[in-house]
Amino acid sequence: MQYVGMYTQVRRNNIKSMLLLLAFPLIMLGMLWVFCAIIFGTENGGYDAYGEVITVFNADETNMHFVQVAPFVAGGVAIWFFIAYFFNAEMVRNATGARSLERRENKRIYNMVENLCMTCGMETPKIFVVDDPQLNAYASGIDQKSYAVTLTTGIIDCLNDEELEGVIAHELTHIRNRDTRLLITSIVFVGIVSTLLSLLVRILFNTFVYGGNSRSSNNSKDNKLGVIVVLLVAVVCMAIAYVFILLTRFAISRKREYMADAGGAELCGNPLALASALRKISGNPGLGDCKRDDIAQLFIAHPQGLTGSGFLSNLFSTHPDINDRIRILEQF
C-alpha cells in the first residue's frame, strides 16, 4: 500500500469539501421543493368517468411558494452552519470531555508529537487528553488555530512508544490531509438535519396527541388533521434528506482512514507498530463520555466497534473493518 501524497490528498479533500458544501443546500432545497409540491402543488382536477378524483400538479403554485420560503430556510441554515462550524472545537471537546494536556503533565506525549511534526514540517497542534481507560484517539479542527490531537488516558497507558507514535502519526496525517475540516463540515450538516428532523417529529407527536380533544368542532378537527398531514410530509422529506447526508458522510469517512493509516505508517516509519496499536485498540475501543455518533467518526476506531465487510455494513459504517486495516499495514 502506498500513500498517494499529502498534496494530492489535500486537493482531493478540498474538492470533496466544496462538493459537500454544494450538495447539502441542494439536498435541503430539493426536499423543500418536494414539500411545496406535495402541500401546495397538488389540487383537485375534477373527476374521471368512474367518479374518482383526478389529482393534478400545479407547477406554478409550487414554484411560487418555494421562492417565498426558500430564502428564509437557506438563511437560517447558513447562520446555523457558520456558528456551528466556527465553534467546532468547543463542540467536539464538550462531546468527548477532552481537556488540555500540559507539557509538565506528560512530556513523553509532547516529545512524540513535536518530533513527528518536525519530521513532516508541520506546526505542532494542540494536545488534549480524555480521562477514559478505553483506547481511542482523534484529530480535530478546521485551521491552524483549532487543530488538535486528542488521546485517551487508556491509549497513553496501554501502548508502547512505537505504537503510540504510530497512532499520533495517523492523527497528524488527518490534519495534514485536511480530513478534519471535511469531517467537521459533515458533522455540522448531519447535526442540522438531525436536529430539524427531531424537532419536526416532536411537534408532530405533540400535535397528534395534544392538538385537540373529543369536544372539538368539526372545523377544529379538520384543521388538526391538516396540520398533521403537513408535518408528516415535512418529516418524510427531512428523513430522506437525512439519509442522503448520512450516506455521503459514511463514504467520506471510510476512505480517509485507509489514507491516514498509510500516511501515518510513512511518517512514523513503522507500519507494524501502527498495526500492533490498532490490534490493541480493537480489543477495547471506546470513549465513555461521547454519546454522539457523528463525533465518533473522528476517532481512530469507532467506540461501538461498527466494523464488517458485508455490503450493508460497509454502506452504513464510518470506519472500515479494523482487521482489513491491520492486514494492509502488515503488507506495507
Side-chain angles (χ1 to χ4, degrees):
M1 180 179 178
Q2 200 169 35
Y3 184 47
V4 298
M6 181 184 71
Y7 295 108
T8 300
Q9 190 64 13
V10 168
R11 184 174 67 253
R12 289 177 181 177
N13 279 346
N14 285 340
I15 293 173
K16 288 179 182 178
S17 296
M18 291 304 299
L19 291 176
L20 188 59
L21 286 169
L22 291 173
F24 178 76
L26 289 177
I27 291 173
M28 292 292 291
L29 291 175
M31 288 301 102
L32 177 62
W33 189 89
V34 171
F35 174 80
C36 292
I38 295 173
I39 299 301
F40 304 110
T42 55
E43 57 186 36
N44 189 341
Y47 300 89
D48 60 18
Y50 301 98
E52 299 291 335
V53 176
I54 300 174
T55 302
V56 297
F57 173 65
N58 190 329
D60 291 336
E61 191 75 13
T62 297
N63 293 333
M64 181 189 73
H65 284 89
F66 174 76
V67 170
Q68 290 175 346
V69 177
F72 296 99
V73 173
V77 170
I79 294 172
W80 190 342
F81 170 79
F82 283 111
I83 291 175
Y85 185 77
F86 290 107
F87 285 91
N88 69 88
E90 291 81 1
M91 173 185 69
V92 174
R93 285 202 301 272
N94 290 336
T96 60
R99 60 176 177 82
S100 179
L101 180 68
E102 301 296 331
R103 179 185 292 275
R104 64 178 179 272
E105 185 180 351
N106 198 319
K107 293 181 181 179
R108 172 193 177 213
I109 298 300
Y110 267 87
N111 289 337
M112 289 182 185
V113 174
E114 289 171 349
N115 288 338
L116 288 169
C117 287
M118 285 189 289
T119 299
C120 63
M122 66 178 288
E123 292 188 38
T124 303
K126 298 175 182 177
I127 305 175
F128 292 94
V129 65
V130 178
D131 295 312
D132 193 308
Q134 299 176 96
L135 279 61
N136 230 314
Y138 65 89
S140 59
I142 60 172
D143 53 28
Q144 194 56 53
K145 292 182 179 179
S146 59
Y147 286 144
V149 170
T150 303
L151 305 165
T152 63
T153 51
I155 204 170
I156 293 173
D157 294 336
C158 292
L159 301 189
N160 61 38
D161 287 356
E162 290 77 15
E163 293 166 340
L164 199 53
E165 280 188 348
V167 169
I168 294 172
H170 171 102
E171 301 306 336
L172 292 176
T173 301
H174 277 315
I175 294 175
R176 296 173 71 205
N177 289 349
R178 304 294 190 269
D179 287 337
T180 54
R181 181 183 299 173
L182 179 61
L183 291 177
I184 289 297
T185 301
S186 72
I187 287 171
V188 173
F189 285 159
V190 170
I192 291 174
V193 177
S194 63
T195 301
L196 291 175
L197 180 58
S198 299
L199 181 62
L200 286 171
V201 169
R202 181 170 298 181
I203 293 174
L204 177 62
F205 176 79
N206 290 336
T207 302
F208 184 79
V209 176
Y210 306 111
N213 54 61
S214 59
R215 293 176 296 176
S216 299
S217 65
N218 289 333
N219 287 337
S220 297
K221 291 181 178 179
D222 290 341
N223 290 337
K224 176 186 174 183
L225 180 60
V227 171
I228 290 175
V229 170
V230 170
L231 288 172
L232 186 60
V233 172
V235 167
V236 171
C237 290
M238 191 59 65
I240 294 172
Y242 185 62
V243 170
F244 278 115
I245 292 294
L246 281 183
L247 291 176
T248 304
R249 188 194 84 178
F250 295 148
I252 287 171
S253 296
R254 288 192 298 271
K255 187 172 182 180
R256 55 105 191 179
E257 286 300 328
Y258 285 122
M259 301 309 303
D261 284 344
E266 192 170 75
L267 177 57
C268 72
N270 193 345
L272 293 181
L274 179 54
S276 177
L278 289 176
R279 186 171 287 107
K280 289 183 179 180
I281 292 170
S282 66
N284 186 23
L287 220 140
D289 290 335
C290 184
K291 307 301 181 184
R292 293 181 52 178
D293 188 64
D294 55 346
I295 299 294
Q297 69 177 314
L298 292 170
F299 303 159
I300 193 170
H302 197 287
Q304 282 73 46
L306 296 181
T307 58
S309 55
F311 174 75
L312 289 177
S313 178
N314 287 333
L315 186 63
F316 292 100
S317 65
T318 58
H319 288 63
D321 186 353
I322 200 165
N323 292 317
D324 288 341
R325 295 167 62 186
I326 293 170
R327 176 180 52 80
I328 292 172
L329 282 167
E330 289 176 340
Q331 298 172 358
F332 196 92

